Amino acid sequence: MKRVVCFHLLNDYSGSPIVLRMALRGLLKKGCRVDLVTTRGGVLDDLQTYENLTTHTYRYHFSTNPAVTMARYIWVQLYTFVLAFRWLTAKKTVFYINTLLPVGPALAGRMMGKRVVYHYHENAKAKGAFYRVLAWLMQRLAHQIICVSAYQASKLKPSKKITVIPNALPQEFAERVKPDCEMAFKQQNILMLSSLKSYKGTDEFIMLAAEMPEYHFTLVINDEEKNIKEYIGQKGLSISENLCIHPRQDDVVAFYQQASIVLNLSQRNLFIETFGMTALEAMTAGLPVIGPTEGGIAEIVKDGFNGYQIDCQEKEKIAQRIREMLSNKSLYSLLAKGALETAKNYSENRLTEAVEKILEND
């Protein structure tokens, strides 16, 4: 088996390092030698128990000042570019680049004649010019590109080196959630997990809650409480009594256990989901999902089978579907069953075996 040298910019609790942890865990369990280059303080720290893992760390974090963040980013690229040459003479070594951001070691890998595999998670077009440049570089540096959805792959220049491997959830998450269709229906609670961005539908969810006082609404925002309060104040949003807002959480299982329906209200004219991890989490918990009509998430949410595809601007239609589902137990049960069936297609084992196959290929 090849030696895998993996580069990931920021080790936190977001989706891309969670997926990377699954992929590396599968490799480590099979005895593969893995070198991981990243920061400390996130989900990838869980891999330290494996003796065949060697971790190389550096300090990096975001700043509220974009110029400072960019300076830190450039420094990390220079550092990892130089660090990569320690594997110059290592045989059967593949460089595994997680996300678009570690361009320094990808360039170094190419210069050394190493096989370079990218795991592409972002929507470069939606993120702006800087990410579009990184995507352009990726398509020239990579021997193989792993995309998380067919939608994402369609935005790259067609190539035989592109492979679609959908994301998955850790096995421990699936084991911890306890789907209970009858209890979920009774809870009459609508859940959304989001970041503190307008294009993620935060404003629409808050307004929807105010317009539907007969239901409970729960919003989990991946940010600090002070920033959430500041955002709400700047937007002039009114928080209704039936809405509970929670700041960043390390564990979200309890929120899914208390929910009936999960929403994703990303604005497709501003941001398109490349996959939709919260939709998969919801379906693993046996919950129907209402999501966007475009993007990777639209490959998961199927109209009338496990939820509905509705544009976030159509709040009246969303409200109508919510009322239909939470007033018709037979319909709700049918959608919940479809959600569980869908989730079975996105197992950790499938993801790890597919990634391993890509890394093993010459």
Side-chain angles (χ1 to χ4, degrees), residues 34-107:
V34 176
D35 289 88
L36 175 60
V37 183
T38 188
T39 61
R40 292 190 183 276
V43 298
L44 296 173
D45 292 354
D46 297 347
L47 299 173
Q48 297 298 324
T49 56
Y50 291 93
E51 294 183 358
N52 47 329
L53 172 77
T54 303
T55 306
H56 311 264
T57 62
Y58 50 82
R59 297 180 65 184
Y60 174 81
H61 57 88
F62 295 121
S63 169
T64 53
N65 186 328
V68 173
T69 296
M70 180 56 71
R72 290 172 179 168
Y73 169 75
I74 292 172
W75 176 86
V76 170
Q77 298 319 299
L78 292 172
Y79 172 76
T80 52
F81 173 84
V82 174
L83 178 67
F85 282 89
R86 72 180 296 157
W87 291 282
L88 176 63
T89 59
K91 297 180 179 179
K92 294 184 178 180
T93 299
V94 57
F95 276 24
Y96 181 22
I97 312 297
N98 197 50
T99 79
L100 288 172
L101 292 166
V103 66
L107 177 59

Side-chain angles (χ1 to χ4, degrees), residues 94-348:
V94 57
F95 276 24
Y96 181 22
I97 312 297
N98 197 50
T99 79
L100 288 172
L101 292 166
V103 66
L107 177 59
R110 265 295 196 173
M111 291 174 66
M112 290 184 283
K114 305 296 183 185
R115 188 161 179 269
V116 177
V117 176
Y118 265 84
H119 204 146
Y120 177 38
H121 296 268
E122 304 92 333
N123 182 344
K125 184 177 180 181
K127 280 183 168 286
F130 176 65
Y131 278 83
R132 288 195 290 271
V133 171
L134 291 179
W136 180 84
L137 287 169
M138 172 186 70
Q139 291 178 86
R140 281 146 185 82
L141 294 174
H143 292 92
Q144 193 74 31
I145 300 171
I146 299 171
C147 288
V148 301
S149 66
Y151 166 81
Q152 186 193 41
S154 71
K155 300 303 176 182
L156 297 177
K157 185 178 179 180
S159 171
K160 292 181 180 180
K161 66 183 180 181
I162 297 173
T163 301
V164 176
I165 303 177
N167 286 336
L169 292 178
Q171 183 61 35
E172 55 265 31
F173 181 93
E175 291 172 352
R176 289 178 61 209
V177 293
K178 307 297 182 184
D180 187 334
C181 179
E182 187 168 342
M183 180 61 70
F185 180 77
K186 289 179 180 178
Q187 286 168 160
Q188 304 280 289
N189 181 24
I190 295 91
L191 170 68
M192 188 168 86
L193 298 95
S194 178
S195 56
L196 197 57
K197 305 290 184 183
S198 294
Y199 59 71
K200 295 289 282 185
T202 304
D203 301 15
E204 285 78 6
F205 188 83
I206 292 173
M207 289 186 284
L208 191 65
E211 295 168 7
M212 304 183 73
E214 67 269 36
Y215 299 113
H216 299 292
F217 282 74
T218 303
L219 177 60
V220 181
I221 300 179
N222 186 26
D223 213 314
E224 297 177 10
E225 190 167 358
K226 63 177 183 179
N227 295 334
I228 296 171
K229 290 181 177 179
E230 183 180 345
Y231 176 90
I232 291 171
Q234 289 177 346
K235 289 280 189 171
L237 296 167
S238 178
I239 307 303
S240 54
E241 293 183 0
N242 64 327
L243 171 62
C244 290
I245 300 178
H246 301 267
R248 180 182 290 120
Q249 304 288 314
D250 291 338
D251 188 357
V252 296
V253 169
F255 292 97
Y256 288 109
Q257 294 295 140
Q258 297 164 11
S260 306
I261 298 170
V262 171
L263 304 188
N264 182 306
L265 301 179
S266 296
Q267 299 181 23
R268 65 186 181 90
N269 58 323
L270 299 174
F271 177 82
I272 298 179
E273 300 278 2
T274 56
F275 184 75
M277 194 66 90
T278 58
L280 182 56
E281 289 175 343
M283 291 184 189
T284 304
L287 303 175
V289 176
I290 293 178
T293 59
E294 190 176 350
I297 191 172
E299 297 168 27
I300 304 173
V301 181
K302 303 298 182 183
D303 259 338
F305 180 70
N306 52 27
Y308 296 99
Q309 294 181 15
I310 309 174
D311 192 285
C312 73
Q313 303 299 324
E314 299 184 86
K315 289 201 299 295
E316 289 184 6
K317 189 173 180 180
I318 293 172
Q320 178 188 347
R321 287 300 191 187
I322 290 173
R323 291 190 175 101
E324 286 177 0
M325 285 188 278
L326 296 183
S327 63
N328 186 332
K329 191 173 181 180
S330 296
L331 172 62
Y332 182 87
S333 298
L334 186 66
L335 296 171
K337 181 181 178 181
L340 287 171
E341 288 182 12
T342 301
K344 292 177 183 177
N345 297 322
Y346 297 88
S347 69
E348 178 175 347

